[in-house]
Amino acid sequence: MEPADAKKELRQRMLAVRAEIPEASRTEQSLAASRMAELEVLSPLRAQRGGKLNVFCYVSFRDEPNTLAFMDNCQAQGDRLLVPKIGAQRSLTLHEVTGMADLVPGTWGILEPASHTVIWPPERYPEIDVIVVPGLAFDLKGGRIGFGGGYYDRLIDELARCSGGLNQVVLGALALEELILPEAIPMESHDFRLDLLFTAKGTIYMKESSDKLGKLGIRARHDAF
């Protein structure tokens, strides 16, 4: 089976799996994952970089892992919070927000930055410290499958070009236990890999990112999930 066909099949299967996760479990896991993210990654990264972070995070929608606690924590720590907005030609623009008052229903009803929010231009992409992306499923080698629109593939590619690589930014996701697969997710040439997964049981670090995370002051462990 071609990778694109395998991804389409996996996408449909994982949509069904995610829809079956009870809301209470999804909320509990999301809160616990957010706490672990602060303890194990965000706090050490602030210490290494000498202050506040620039954090990019999507706003969760429907049965996605709830990102609001993660976002609230970042703002409580004084971090600058960047949120995506869907633009033309399947692109994303990044906007700086200061709270829920800066968000309004946008494309498909997803909360997006309001028109008054300041756009974070591509030339400032190298200043981003952490990116939290959505996904339908994840594997233990940094593989991820999204919704098929390619929005984040294009964004990460642009960030890499603007920054001369991805060595200074942590790529992660809030991952519910049920969405982490033991088998490898089919990957294509345009797909990017994550450095870590924030879960309720603790952060899962990808071995391939060990050197990068170590240089960023993040002590990676590789305990079995």
Side-chain angles (χ1 to χ4, degrees):
M1 184 182 296
E2 293 295 322
D5 295 328
K7 288 167 69 175
K8 183 178 180 180
E9 183 178 287
L10 178 61
R11 191 173 288 117
Q12 294 303 313
R13 176 163 65 90
M14 297 312 296
L15 277 169
V17 169
R18 196 176 70 180
E20 291 298 318
I21 300 173
E23 181 179 358
S25 175
R26 186 172 67 249
T27 299
E28 182 179 353
Q29 288 192 60
S30 300
L31 289 172
S34 298
R35 289 193 294 267
M36 298 304 290
E38 171 60 28
L39 177 66
E40 298 181 342
V41 175
L42 299 178
S43 182
L45 190 57
R46 286 191 205 96
Q48 195 272 348
R49 299 205 166 169
K52 303 168 185 177
L53 302 175
N54 296 323
V55 179
F56 168 75
C57 184
Y58 69 101
V59 181
S60 52
F61 183 60
R62 293 182 178 170
D63 57 3
E64 290 182 318
N66 192 317
T67 60
L68 296 183
F70 179 93
M71 296 166 66
D72 287 344
N73 173 73
C74 289
Q75 292 192 302
Q77 298 299 324
D79 298 333
R80 180 183 283 112
L81 185 61
L82 309 174
V83 172
K85 184 174 185 176
I86 295 176
Q89 299 180 337
R90 291 191 173 188
S91 64
L92 295 174
T93 55
L94 279 56
H95 297 246
E96 185 175 346
V97 302
T98 59
M100 293 298 294
D102 286 339
L103 302 175
V104 296
T107 306
W108 304 306
I110 301 171
L111 290 177
E112 294 184 339
S115 58
H116 69 270
T117 56
V118 177
I119 294 178
W120 190 269
E123 56 265 29
R124 295 194 68 184
Y125 285 3
E127 299 175 37
I128 300 174
D129 299 294
V130 178
I131 295 179
V132 178
V133 301
L136 279 170
F138 310 93
D139 66 27
L140 299 176
K141 291 189 176 182
R144 160 195 173 271
I145 188 168
F147 298 89
Y151 291 95
Y152 285 87
D153 293 315
R154 286 185 286 275
L155 176 67
I156 299 303
D157 180 66
E158 184 175 15
L159 184 144
R161 286 188 281 107
C162 292
S163 306
L166 299 172
N167 292 327
Q168 295 301 311
V169 62
V170 177
L171 298 177
L174 284 175
L176 304 179
E177 179 178 351
E178 295 88 343
L179 305 183
I180 301 173
L181 304 178
E183 70 271 18
I185 288 175
M187 300 288 282
E188 298 179 271
S189 59
H190 59 267
D191 293 324
F192 63 91
R193 291 187 181 274
L194 301 173
D195 297 314
L196 46 79
L197 298 175
F198 299 121
T199 82
K201 295 180 179 178
T203 305
I204 298 176
Y205 305 90
M206 306 307 157
K207 290 183 179 180
E208 293 77 6
S209 298
S210 293
D211 290 343
K212 169 184 173 178
L213 295 173
K215 291 176 181 177
L216 296 177
I218 299 169
R219 184 179 180 183
R221 301 188 315 275
H222 302 293
D223 303 327
F225 179 70

